[in-house]
Amino acid sequence: MGAPGGAEERWALFRPTRERALAGAWLAAVWVASMAVDAARTRPLGHDAHAYWLATLDPSVYGRLPGEPDAFLYSPPVAQVLAAITWIPWPLFVAVWTSAAITAYVWLVRPLRWIWAVPLLALAIEDTTLGNVTWLTALLVVVGMRRSIAWVPLAFTKVTAGVGLLWYVVRRDWRAVGVALGTGVAVLVVSFLASPGLWRAYATFMVGLGGSGVLLRTVAASALVVFAARTDRPWLVPVAVVVCAPLALAYTWAALLAVPRLLRPETLTALNAPFGGIRVGLRRALDLQPRDQSVGTAMVSAPSGEAS
């Protein structure tokens, strides 16, 4: 037998607890928020959204590489949809886009108490200021866990995110798989017939972006979705979408805000249970016994003669 203060006590602080998870979330939130503020200083509001506003049906839309200003990285169906609304003045476009992102993220974390929701929202700061489509990705993942057709626009936006459809394959929901694949093929055919030159330019563009890193992460994400489907853990699917993101950038983590909407009710109840105040929370996080409890334990363990 180990002596008092052995391995169990030394490793006690590393046991996962709700209080430690919350403390870690707030520390991470401060770090992520500081990076987002630095990024906002160097790039204007709606940096990525400006590329969407400039989307056209001309193949030259794929003439810029990732990282360059106004680089458009999405498939022709996305360009075709956006090209229909580029008549909107830029100030109005970025205002509507940013408002939609904020509304989406607030809705996604609404099942959580503010003490969890606020640090989680820190993950969305950079995406919101950049005007990227990650907020739409998170929404489509939530809807996609209930309606397979939602994976169609998601796959045409973030190609590798289509691995989420494996959820229905593993669970042998062939009707859902058929609806998604049929819709996807129909969209592809109509889009190609409308703009074949755009599709050829997109194919050339994607070949130039290919790499072993994306392939390996997509394989890992596929395995994660298979595990999630077999163990009934839908909240792991947005994690897989983050893992296989074509560009592993900081704002892609905002897709994790889909997790709260996919948690089981009992998990949400446990997370949202009151902490009992700062003092109680700190004692639990540090594995310290309340003072009255330790005294009571000592009295109970003492011999009856000594207790008196």
Side-chain angles (χ1 to χ4, degrees), residues 163-174:
V163 299
L165 191 60
L166 286 173
W167 171 274
Y168 293 98
V169 175
V170 174
R171 297 169 78 89
R172 299 184 179 183
D173 189 345
W174 303 121

Side-chain angles (χ1 to χ4, degrees), residues 189-283:
V189 170
V190 172
S191 174
F192 180 81
L193 292 176
S195 305
L198 197 63
W199 271 99
R200 285 192 289 268
Y202 175 69
T204 303
F205 176 74
M206 291 301 291
V207 169
L209 291 181
S212 58
V214 176
L215 179 60
L216 290 175
R217 286 189 283 110
T218 302
V219 171
S222 300
L224 187 58
V225 174
V226 170
F227 173 77
R230 288 182 173 176
T231 58
D232 195 26
R233 289 180 170 90
W235 62 270
L236 282 175
V237 176
V239 178
V241 170
V242 171
V243 169
C244 68
L247 297 176
L249 301 174
Y251 59 76
T252 59
W253 289 88
L256 293 178
L257 271 72
V259 169
R261 287 285 174 179
L262 300 175
L263 292 174
R264 293 190 179 99
E266 57 269 25
T267 302
L268 287 172
T269 300
L271 284 173
N272 290 332
F275 282 87
I278 296 177
R279 182 180 299 178
V280 174
L282 286 175
R283 285 186 175 276

Side-chain angles (χ1 to χ4, degrees), residues 67-241:
E68 295 182 1
D70 295 328
F72 189 82
L73 312 177
Y74 309 106
S75 68
V78 179
Q80 289 163 334
V81 170
L82 290 172
I85 58 175
T86 52
W87 57 270
I88 300 175
W90 165 243
L92 179 59
F93 183 91
V94 71
V96 172
W97 188 270
T98 305
S99 299
I102 294 172
T103 302
Y105 284 130
V106 170
W107 178 81
L108 287 168
V109 302
R110 192 174 178 183
L112 297 173
R113 289 177 58 199
W114 70 267
I115 202 167
W116 290 104
V118 170
L120 193 57
L121 283 170
L123 294 175
I125 295 176
E126 185 171 359
D127 177 68
T128 303
T129 56
L130 282 178
N132 199 266
V133 297
T134 310
W135 64 271
L136 187 57
T137 298
L139 279 180
L140 288 173
V141 169
V142 173
V143 177
M145 301 311 297
R146 296 167 174 82
R147 298 288 186 271
S148 64
I149 198 172
W151 291 102
V152 176
L154 186 52
F156 279 118
T157 305
K158 303 280 189 180
V159 180
T160 55
V163 299
L165 191 60
L166 286 173
W167 171 274
Y168 293 98
V169 175
V170 174
R171 297 169 78 89
R172 299 184 179 183
D173 189 345
W174 303 121
R175 182 180 180 279
V177 174
V179 168
L181 292 180
T183 304
V185 170
V187 171
L188 190 151
V189 170
V190 172
S191 174
F192 180 81
L193 292 176
S195 305
L198 197 63
W199 271 99
R200 285 192 289 268
Y202 175 69
T204 303
F205 176 74
M206 291 301 291
V207 169
L209 291 181
S212 58
V214 176
L215 179 60
L216 290 175
R217 286 189 283 110
T218 302
V219 171
S222 300
L224 187 58
V225 174
V226 170
F227 173 77
R230 288 182 173 176
T231 58
D232 195 26
R233 289 180 170 90
W235 62 270
L236 282 175
V237 176
V239 178
V241 170

